[in-house]
Amino acid sequence: MSPFYYKTAFETLQELRKSGERNPELVVTLGGKIIYEGYTGKLGDEVWSVYEQVFIAALDYRNDALAETCLERLEKKFPKSPRVKILTGMKLEAEDKLDEALELYDEILKNDDSNIATIKRRIAVFKAKGQDQRAIEALTHYLDAFYNDAETWLELSSLYLNYHLYQQAGFCLEELILLQPQNHLYHLKYAEILYTNDNITNINLALKEFCRVLELCEDHVRALYGVKLCTSRLLNLSSSSSIDFKTISDLNSLASERLSKVYSLYSKNKVGNSNNELRQIIHDWLNESDKSY
Amino acid sequence: MTTQNQASLYVSEKIVQNVKTITFIRSSMSAITGSAAGILGLTGYYGFIFYGITSLFTSFLIWSAKAQAKPGLYFRNGLDVWTEGVFGGLFSYVLFWTLLYGIVHVYD
Amino acid sequence: MSHQVLSTLAESQSLYLDPAIRDWVLIPIMVVMVLVGVLRDQITVLLGGGASTKKATLKAIRESKVLMRGAALRNYGNHIPPSSFLNRKNYLTNAYKKGDYLKNPASMNQTVNPMTDPQGMEMMMEGMKKNIAMIIPQTVIMGWINFFFSGFVLIKLPFPLTLRFKSMLQRGVETPDMDVTWVSSLSWYFLNLFGLRSIFTLLLGEDNAADGMREMTAMSQMTASPTGQPQDFHKLHLAESENLELTPHSWELNDIEHRLLSRYGKREQQKVIDSPENFIENNEKNAIEATSSSSEHKGKNRRKSGKH
């Protein structure tokens, strides 16, 4: 049997913990080996984080025995810790005992109502139960206090989008832009929400936002398509827009030009018929849309 | 670029980390150069001039080797590379200067 | 312990000091101060992790974070559309004025009395405990030095000082003739106090508790404003709302279409000047674009730059 390189295993697990990547299969394999073959002694103080990590991965992977083992050892070491209670709650969630999990979380919050992890788990339970309304309420309540939590704003916006509440989703994206103004992805998402929520002001705004993405990230293909769609929409609507006709058509031709550049460069790098087909389709579409003016 | 645009380009945690690096470099250098000044037996103004020269040299090293001649990438104001932490280093410099001077020159 | 041989040179007096002073005073004082500093830091870590750090309630966190929210709006508000900015500005200024975000809205107009507010009381106790823990080792060491190591000069400072310092630096040895550069052990203590701060930062990492200076300044601040401890958030909120009201909004995306088009050479730089600096900046930017743009655009840009 080949020796188990536990040092590399420890490092891999540490890397995964740092990056937050969710790779349950790898973690369960490595973690199971470490725990069942007794390498935990070599970890020192890190062992408790590893237990937590392996526990969550085991829940993902439905390896209940491994999860039980980890939870037992954690409970023995930290008997009254809220963090371990949350893990117990997660196990209840995995076993579909959602109401019990909710009770557990509420109990933790009674003692310490600013425990972020508990609040987030509670929201997850509401989502799992399908009680999106309560989830949205809980999210808003949390964000009222912790306004700078970007991933939570994204979560709230995706919930709103599920219910086609475009204006509210746009609000969330504006908050995100306030948090990270140079992040072109937030501008992109905002622009797409605006375009979907179709009225004349929004399309104008969407056009500006797509231009912003292009300013921040040159030749962003999704944004180029966005510019094309917005400009064609504005030209078709032909009602008074705040931007003059010449600018709109200039932007339109600029977008077409950049798109054809990008795709010609793209197909230069790759070989094969499928890419030529793609290029052809794009060219046809671009020519079609240009012809209509 | 407007000032708001400019300000949001910098991630504040990274700037804090960069300042920490510079402080670390300066305190180590102050200790070493202070000891050097003490051993060399510099007194009075020569000692402070020596500190000025070495801290200038340290700034130059930071500017060229660490910031690769582009301090604007690492700090809001590129000139911070030359001035940050100089006063704090002065005290350690004086301490080590006195210590080594005393050990080497006063005591036999 | 020491024989004093005064040289005839008037320039610098040189004294012969017994090497035993160096071994038994100079080095030990320094070593003791370093060790005590490290000890203090470790003890603070031990104490800090105890039950004294009571977790703040959600309302308290909310109260303090909302200030940052106002600041973020002020700092980066130009990146969102004017209507959104106005919405948020109005909402926040109203919320600040009405005290929506305060922990206990009832106490809005009363001056916060640290005696009655339990959390404020705790915070003050914390601060006082920490300060006392810091000041005690310093006073102990000073007393120890005064007791054991007084009555002789310890070291010669390499730099000259004025006569005024003579009485302070030569505490135990009152001679009228000796240079100010010869100092007693107490001044060596002070020298170490200042000089070892950066060494502590080196050894113990940032934010260490071995730094006596910070506590001294904190102490002096506390005695100056005794009610300063539990911060009055209502006042802070009102200040922030005033700041917000004064903030203008100049939208980043106002002329972004022209910016984008001119970047690709489709547009001459618009002469619509909103501010002289922007104009100059834009012109410079155009010049840079002209010289460094890709080869496909060089033709277009060269033509355009000829016109400038």
Side-chain angles (χ1 to χ4, degrees):
Chain A
M1 197 162 92
S2 61
F4 178 51
Y5 296 107
Y6 60 90
K7 279 223 164 70
T8 14
F10 292 165
E11 279 166 21
T12 325
L13 286 177
Q14 197 180 47
E15 281 301 319
L16 285 172
R17 273 205 303 278
K18 245 198 297 192
S19 69
E21 190 188 325
R22 203 166 166 177
N23 192 342
E25 184 177 345
L26 181 59
V27 175
V28 164
T29 330
L30 291 176
K33 263 226 156 77
I34 294 178
I35 293 174
Y36 287 133
E37 294 179 16
Y39 286 99
T40 46
K42 302 203 191 271
L43 273 169
D45 273 335
E46 238 181 73
V47 67
W48 309 111
S49 318
V50 170
Y51 274 136
E52 192 180 16
Q53 184 183 15
V54 175
F55 171 76
I56 297 179
L59 285 183
D60 269 339
Y61 215 56
R62 303 264 15 218
N63 187 338
D64 293 328
L66 184 57
E68 259 312 317
T69 324
C70 293
L71 191 58
E72 265 172 33
R73 296 195 190 176
L74 280 169
E75 265 178 343
K76 217 172 23 169
K77 174 76 179 179
F78 303 108
K80 291 227 180 77
S81 151
R83 199 162 154 183
V84 174
K85 278 208 204 133
I86 291 176
L87 295 179
T88 325
M90 283 172 81
K91 187 149 196 304
L92 288 172
E93 281 183 60
E95 291 165 0
D96 209 21
K97 298 184 183 145
L98 295 172
D99 291 316
E100 290 177 32
L102 202 53
E103 272 175 36
L104 185 61
Y105 294 142
D106 284 333
E107 194 191 309
I108 303 177
L109 283 175
K110 240 192 308 195
N111 290 333
D112 173 21
D113 64 354
S114 63
N115 190 327
I116 296 180
T118 321
I119 295 176
K120 290 191 177 176
R121 290 274 17 119
R122 203 162 156 264
I123 294 171
V125 168
F126 286 141
K127 276 181 83 178
K129 284 172 111 184
Q131 293 175 346
D132 282 344
Q133 182 59 36
R134 293 190 70 182
I136 291 182
E137 272 172 32
L139 277 167
T140 341
H141 188 72
Y142 169 75
L143 285 167
D144 192 31
F146 296 93
Y147 79 97
N148 55 351
D149 190 338
E151 64 172 17
T152 316
W153 280 114
L154 278 173
E155 181 72 31
L156 183 59
S157 83
S158 75
L159 268 181
Y160 278 137
L161 286 175
N162 280 342
Y163 289 97
H164 306 293
L165 295 167
Y166 295 117
Q167 203 178 7
Q168 285 85 329
F171 179 87
C172 298
L173 261 301
E174 284 166 5
E175 288 288 333
L176 281 167
I177 293 179
L178 272 179
L179 283 173
Q180 293 177 24
Q182 301 289 334
N183 188 339
H184 63 276
L185 296 171
Y186 294 152
H187 285 279
L188 186 65
K189 227 174 146 69
Y190 186 43
E192 288 177 349
I193 292 177
L194 286 168
Y195 181 78
T196 322
N197 192 9
D198 193 7
N199 67 55
I200 188 73
T201 20
N202 282 346
I203 303 284
N204 277 318
L205 192 50
L207 179 59
K208 284 192 189 263
E209 289 286 343
F210 278 124
C211 293
R212 178 68 170 160
V213 181
L214 288 172
E215 208 184 16
L216 291 172
C217 175
E218 204 171 304
D219 278 348
H220 197 283
V221 177
R222 217 161 125 182
L224 285 170
Y225 277 121
V227 170
K228 272 212 73 69
L229 288 172
C230 283
T231 46
S232 26
R233 188 115 184 79
L234 280 173
L235 291 169
N236 276 339
L237 284 178
S238 73
S239 49
S240 60
S241 131
S242 57
I243 315 173
D244 57 293
F245 178 82
K246 181 161 192 318
T247 318
I248 298 181
S249 49
D250 277 346
L251 281 173
N252 195 15
S253 33
L254 174 65
S256 314
E257 188 189 309
R258 298 308 306 164
L259 273 173
S260 32
K261 287 268 160 44
V262 167
Y263 278 103
S264 61
L265 274 173
Y266 167 76
S267 54
K268 266 194 208 126
N269 296 335
K270 318 245 177 159
V271 200
N273 284 331
S274 54
N275 294 313
N276 282 330
E277 273 178 39
L278 180 65
R279 200 167 134 214
Q280 198 54 43
I281 296 176
I282 304 286
H283 270 242
D284 290 342
W285 179 70
L286 285 173
N287 290 334
E288 269 301 314
S289 46
D290 283 340
K291 263 195 224 130
S292 38
Y293 310 121
Chain B
M1 272 210 231
T2 60
T3 36
Q4 266 209 15
N5 212 6
Q6 193 78 328
S8 59
L9 278 177
Y10 292 99
V11 186
S12 29
E13 298 111 30
K14 302 288 184 182
I15 292 195
V16 166
Q17 197 172 350
N18 291 345
V19 170
K20 268 193 220 169
T21 316
I22 285 201
T23 318
F24 177 80
I25 296 176
R26 284 219 193 268
S27 0
S28 326
M29 275 301 273
S30 312
I32 296 174
T33 49
S35 317
I39 295 175
L40 285 173
L42 300 174
T43 56
Y45 291 119
Y46 291 123
F48 290 109
I49 293 175
F50 186 67
Y51 180 64
I53 296 178
T54 47
S55 70
L56 205 63
F57 180 60
T58 314
S59 309
F60 175 70
L61 279 181
I62 297 176
W63 177 83
S64 57
K66 273 288 186 183
Q68 279 128 16
K70 283 194 287 250
L73 279 181
Y74 300 94
F75 294 94
R76 287 218 170 91
N77 178 8
L79 291 176
D80 277 350
V81 181
W82 300 90
T83 54
E84 180 73 44
V86 174
F87 188 65
L90 183 63
F91 283 116
S92 325
Y93 176 81
V94 167
L95 175 67
F96 278 89
W97 181 22
T98 314
L99 177 67
L100 267 300
Y101 182 79
I103 289 182
V104 173
H105 289 274
V106 176
Y107 292 94
D108 278 333
Chain C
M1 200 183 345
S2 60
H3 10 289
Q4 310 209 347
V5 176
L6 289 170
S7 91
T8 50
L9 290 170
E11 204 187 69
S12 68
Q13 300 169 336
S14 64
L15 296 172
Y16 178 72
L17 294 178
D18 192 344
I21 301 184
R22 176 194 58 200
D23 297 337
W24 293 102
V25 185
L26 193 71
I27 314 273
I29 291 187
M30 196 165 176
V31 167
V32 163
M33 288 187 74
V34 171
L35 289 179
V36 166
V38 173
L39 191 68
R40 273 198 311 196
D41 183 53
Q42 297 300 316
I43 290 189
T44 326
V45 169
L46 280 175
L47 282 181
S52 51
T53 50
K54 186 153 178 256
K55 203 77 191 292
T57 59
L58 188 69
K59 291 206 155 199
I61 297 182
R62 196 163 154 261
E63 203 177 40
S64 56
K65 280 206 159 211
V66 78
L67 282 173
M68 287 160 48
R69 193 169 173 183
L73 185 62
R74 271 186 294 128
N75 285 332
Y76 300 130
N78 287 345
H79 291 93
I80 53 176
S83 49
S84 327
F85 178 77
L86 265 172
N87 273 341
R88 285 175 170 77
K89 181 166 140 179
N90 290 335
Y91 170 72
L92 275 179
T93 39
N94 282 336
Y96 284 140
K97 291 210 179 101
K98 279 192 287 175
D100 276 343
Y101 279 90
L102 289 177
K103 220 170 16 188
N104 13 347
S107 70
M108 222 163 62
N109 289 318
Q110 309 160 3
T111 49
V112 181
N113 190 347
M115 297 304 165
T116 52
D117 179 19
Q119 193 165 33
M121 190 67 168
E122 261 190 60
M123 266 167 63
M124 255 185 30
M125 289 304 298
E126 265 313 294
M128 268 172 48
K129 254 192 282 181
K130 277 218 178 106
N131 279 335
I132 291 176
M134 292 311 146
I135 301 297
I136 283 188
Q138 287 191 345
T139 21
V140 165
I141 295 183
M142 250 205 294
W144 171 66
I145 291 182
N146 265 330
F147 183 65
F148 283 109
F149 302 123
S150 59
F152 57 91
V153 286
L154 183 61
I155 195 171
K156 175 176 173 163
L157 293 176
F159 49 91
L161 287 170
T162 59
L163 277 176
R164 269 192 294 161
F165 291 101
K166 190 170 146 99
S167 60
M168 187 175 79
L169 296 176
Q170 292 177 350
R171 189 64 11 149
V173 194
E174 271 90 30
T175 56
D177 284 332
M178 200 158 54
D179 254 345
V180 193
T181 52
W182 293 98
V183 293
S184 68
S185 11
L186 196 64
S187 53
W188 175 239
Y189 164 74
F190 279 116
L191 196 63
N192 268 291
L193 195 63
F194 288 106
L196 284 177
R197 283 176 57 216
S198 38
I199 306 293
F200 282 137
T201 322
L202 260 177
L203 285 176
L204 303 166
E206 275 293 326
D207 249 5
N208 61 77
D211 203 345
M213 281 302 293
R214 235 181 290 169
E215 275 70 45
M216 289 213 288
T217 48
M219 259 297 254
S220 57
Q221 277 174 7
M222 240 183 58
T223 49
S225 61
T227 54
Q229 196 72 4
Q231 290 165 300
D232 191 359
F233 275 104
H234 185 55
K235 287 216 193 78
L236 290 169
H237 284 193
L238 286 177
E240 186 66 39
S241 79
E242 279 174 29
N243 282 340
L244 261 183
E245 277 174 4
L246 292 172
T247 321
H249 182 252
S250 107
W251 198 19
E252 269 294 320
L253 306 190
N254 220 354
D255 56 346
I256 188 171
E257 301 94 353
H258 298 146
R259 284 213 300 264
L260 194 62
L261 286 171
S262 51
R263 182 193 272 207
Y264 287 102
K266 304 261 181 239
R267 229 5 111 81
E268 254 191 65
Q269 194 56 43
Q270 287 286 352
K271 303 275 195 223
V272 178
I273 306 171
D274 35 1
S275 80
E277 345 160 350
N278 273 347
F279 179 70
I280 298 171
E281 270 186 72
N282 286 336
N283 264 348
E284 278 176 0
K285 186 174 176 186
N286 211 30
I288 295 173
E289 302 285 359
T291 48
S292 65
S293 59
S294 62
S295 50
E296 304 130 33
H297 296 294
K298 262 216 174 86
K300 285 186 199 157
N301 275 342
R302 265 209 214 104
R303 257 187 286 129
K304 296 250 185 273
S305 54
K307 286 184 194 172
H308 285 131

